[in-house]
Amino acid sequence: MVRLVRREERPVSDEQLKQDVEKYVEEVWEDVVEDIRSLVRIDSVEDLAHAESGKPWGPGPYRALVKGLELAERAGLEPHNCDGYIGYADLPGQSEKQIATIAHTDIVPVGIGWTVPALDVTRREGYLLGRGVLDDKGPFVLSVYAAKYFADQVRRTGEPLPYTLRCIVGNNEETSMADVEWYLENFEAPGFLFTPDADFPLICGEKGIFHGLFTTKAPVVKEESKLVELDGGTVANAIPGLATAKLKTEGVPVFEYPGSFELEGDVEGLTQIVSHGVGGHAAFPEGTVNAIGQLSSLLLDLGVTADDEGLDSFVRMVNVIANTSDGAPLGIASSDKVFGALTMNAGVIRTQSDGTMTITMDVRYPTSIAIEDVVAAFEDLAEKHGCTFESGMAHPPFYMDPSLPAIQALLETYREYVDPAAEPFVIGGGTYARHFPRACAFGPHDPSITDPEWVGIEHGPDEGVSEECLKRALKIYIVSIARLMELDL
């Protein structure tokens, strides 16, 4: 039977715990930064073309998984590599039931627009910059050091924690989250879990997520076409900041191109138009500019597809789906009181070798619309423009009752450190939390901190996070875990 230590029985007071945690974080901080750097230096983008047995997501994610488990072992945890699908590291407790964290060591592609090395950590004016410092390699390292605090404590006292503390190391979050699906097929879900892969105060719900793909039914790039290639974006869940069009140089109109475009001169009879947008996460379209949508508008203004029926129809469809984020032109705009409004993003456009074209869709939807209605709208649009529409990933909206004791334990800790009036909220992004029966997303990014303009967001160039934000998050995580250990799970 698990012997739970109640607040009134604590050998260490809340105040003493916080003082100890404060001292611990300052002592280990430089090691935290260097461990984040060791992970950021690994290009861990999914690479299925080079996947193999034991490395199902490709060599980069596997290297990051191994490094993550190495850091956890060094912290005093027992590491386990699950055939490369995912990993975990345990601090065994009195009970096999687990309190867990889950963070991921895979990343989205670096993309363009960086002013610092993307695959390294640059320290600048109290910030860390580099791909993954915020999403999610930095937070993963925080989860390891939170566990290390307790591992050190157990080693000193010889007294195990009431529950097993588990750090789960994900490495397929940015694409399909098939890693966690594999995990739940092979392991029992933790008694409670939080993922440090979002914002504070606490996220108790997430919109539904849906991906799909438009493909032209027939080749649209032909011998006589003036437009020979469209290319843009990196992943479906990122708003593209760059898109390009290649045209036969003889067919490029004389035109005063706006500042968001540039012309790259003739190369083997082709001229490239580069569209510069403002990239970001698909779930947060406010303030972004979809480079694909911007480029499609320019191409229609230039009239380069006017005499090319199939290609013109495709570009017109792209112009509709890539220049709206609320779905209104398709009749699928919707919102509810809990989740807010539907958002959509045309993230990746490609010209295939056979002359067909494809474009991906990412939709974040509330409970006020059925996904079947979204699919029907896309299928109707596809039919009108000579395309097929193929449905992909689909996850329904996720919601946890914020009154649950575990949720309240985390929220109260944040309130004590930052804002007594803080309330849980829901998001359009998708985290690992939605896959577990008892889970939430909990920091580490803190909206109460105003970042300088030169600090980029997750999935964008110059991705960055305040060191003070990460330090405070680590303190909150340690104290929160201590309080979770007191609950009946």
Side-chain angles (χ1 to χ4, degrees):
M1 179 178 293
V2 177
R3 172 72 164 86
L4 298 175
V5 179
R6 308 299 177 184
R7 286 191 179 222
E8 61 272 15
E9 301 173 348
R10 287 178 186 163
V12 178
S13 68
D14 264 356
E15 191 54 42
Q16 184 62 55
L17 170 63
K18 289 180 180 178
Q19 289 177 11
D20 291 346
V21 169
E22 188 83 24
K23 180 181 178 182
Y24 168 78
V25 171
E26 290 303 320
E27 287 175 349
V28 301
W29 189 248
E30 290 306 312
D31 291 335
V32 170
V33 173
E34 287 309 305
D35 285 346
I36 294 173
R37 188 190 309 278
S38 72
L39 275 173
V40 171
R41 284 176 170 169
I42 300 171
D43 186 355
S44 51
V45 176
E46 181 187 74
D47 182 9
L48 298 183
H50 294 94
E52 58 182 291
S53 178
K55 302 176 183 178
W57 322 125
Y62 179 77
R63 288 196 300 273
L65 172 64
V66 170
K67 172 57 72 171
L69 291 172
E70 176 189 312
L71 298 180
E73 183 175 27
R74 199 179 69 203
L77 308 183
E78 298 175 0
H80 301 269
N81 184 335
C82 303
D83 298 326
Y85 286 97
I86 199 166
Y88 66 91
D90 284 348
L91 177 60
Q94 296 176 43
S95 170
E96 292 183 0
K97 183 176 283 189
Q98 303 144 17
I99 291 169
T101 61
I102 182 170
H104 63 91
T105 55
D106 61 312
I107 56 173
V108 298
V110 167
I112 63 162
W114 289 79
T115 64
V116 298
L119 295 177
D120 201 352
V121 171
T122 298
R123 296 179 95 165
R124 176 180 173 187
E125 298 176 32
Y127 280 78
L128 305 181
L129 304 177
R131 175 60 84 228
V133 293
L134 177 58
D135 184 21
D136 194 32
K137 292 177 175 179
F140 166 75
V141 173
L142 296 188
S143 72
V144 168
Y145 275 85
K148 182 180 185 300
Y149 174 86
F150 294 99
D152 291 348
Q153 182 183 69
V154 169
R155 188 169 56 251
R156 286 195 305 270
T157 65
E159 291 291 328
L161 296 172
Y163 299 106
T164 294
L165 180 57
R166 173 167 290 188
C167 290
I168 303 175
V169 191
N171 65 336
N172 187 236
E173 194 271 351
E174 293 292 5
T175 50
S176 65
M177 296 196 193
D179 53 347
V180 79
E181 293 175 5
W182 184 95
Y183 180 89
L184 289 171
E185 289 172 0
N186 290 273
F187 297 97
E188 185 177 348
F192 184 76
L193 169 149
F194 70 83
T195 179
D197 187 19
D199 287 349
F200 283 126
L202 181 145
I203 293 165
C204 60
E206 301 172 9
K207 291 179 184 176
I209 303 178
F210 171 73
H211 284 180
L213 179 71
F214 288 97
T215 305
T216 58
K217 291 182 178 179
V220 289
V221 177
K222 302 175 182 176
E223 185 77 23
E224 64 274 16
S225 299
K226 296 177 183 176
L227 175 64
V228 300
E229 182 182 292
L230 283 174
D231 186 270
T234 54
V235 289
N237 63 351
I239 295 169
L242 181 75
T244 60
K246 288 183 180 178
L247 291 81
K248 292 176 180 175
T249 300
E250 60 188 29
V252 178
V254 176
F255 191 80
E256 187 172 335
Y257 293 89
S260 50
F261 298 94
E262 60 180 313
L263 235 59
E264 295 184 350
D266 183 282
V267 177
E268 297 181 350
L270 298 178
T271 294
Q272 180 166 270
I273 301 175
V274 182
S275 169
H276 294 280
V278 179
H281 196 292
F284 312 107
E286 186 176 354
T288 65
V289 177
N290 189 310
I292 295 172
Q294 184 174 255
L295 180 59
S296 67
S297 296
L298 177 68
L299 294 173
L300 293 174
D301 287 344
L302 294 176
V304 295
T305 61
D307 299 328
D308 205 331
E309 183 178 354
L311 192 51
D312 188 68
S313 183
F314 178 76
V315 173
R316 289 184 183 280
M317 183 190 75
V318 170
N319 194 244
V320 172
I321 60 176
N323 281 312
T324 179
S325 61
D326 64 3
L330 282 73
I332 58 173
S334 186
S335 66
D336 65 25
K337 291 183 179 180
V338 173
F339 290 100
L342 175 149
T343 64
M344 59 181 252
N345 172 57
V348 182
I349 191 168
R350 294 286 185 264
T351 304
Q352 307 301 323
S353 59
D354 63 357
T356 58
M357 288 193 176
T358 61
I359 187 165
T360 66
M361 293 304 302
D362 176 292
V363 180
R364 312 295 168 113
Y365 64 98
T367 57
S368 52
I369 188 168
I371 193 58
E372 291 80 8
D373 294 334
V374 174
V375 173
F378 285 147
E379 289 176 343
D380 287 346
L381 184 69
E383 189 61 34
K384 290 175 184 176
H385 291 274
C387 294
T388 61
F389 181 77
E390 179 184 358
S391 297
M393 177 185 72
H395 297 300
F398 156 79
Y399 189 72
M400 286 287 293
D401 183 351
S403 69
L404 291 173
I407 299 290
Q408 285 296 310
L410 304 188
L411 187 59
E412 284 301 324
T413 304
Y414 176 83
R415 286 170 173 164
E416 291 171 16
Y417 271 93
V418 184
D419 179 7
E423 293 293 340
F425 64 106
V426 301
I427 60 168
T431 74
Y432 280 131
R434 67 168 59 242
H435 290 265
F436 293 86
R438 294 169 298 280
C440 69
F442 190 44
H445 182 257
D446 199 324
S448 69
I449 296 176
T450 301
D451 298 326
E453 290 185 1
W454 47 265
V455 176
I457 62 174
E458 67 271 25
H459 291 201
D462 289 349
E463 175 184 339
V465 62
S466 157
E467 289 193 53
E468 188 56 40
C469 177
L470 291 183
K471 278 186 178 182
R472 189 164 70 188
L474 179 52
K475 298 169 191 176
I476 290 170
Y477 292 155
I478 295 171
V479 175
S480 294
I481 291 170
R483 292 173 175 177
L484 289 173
M485 288 289 171
E486 300 171 352
L487 300 179
D488 289 311
L489 297 179

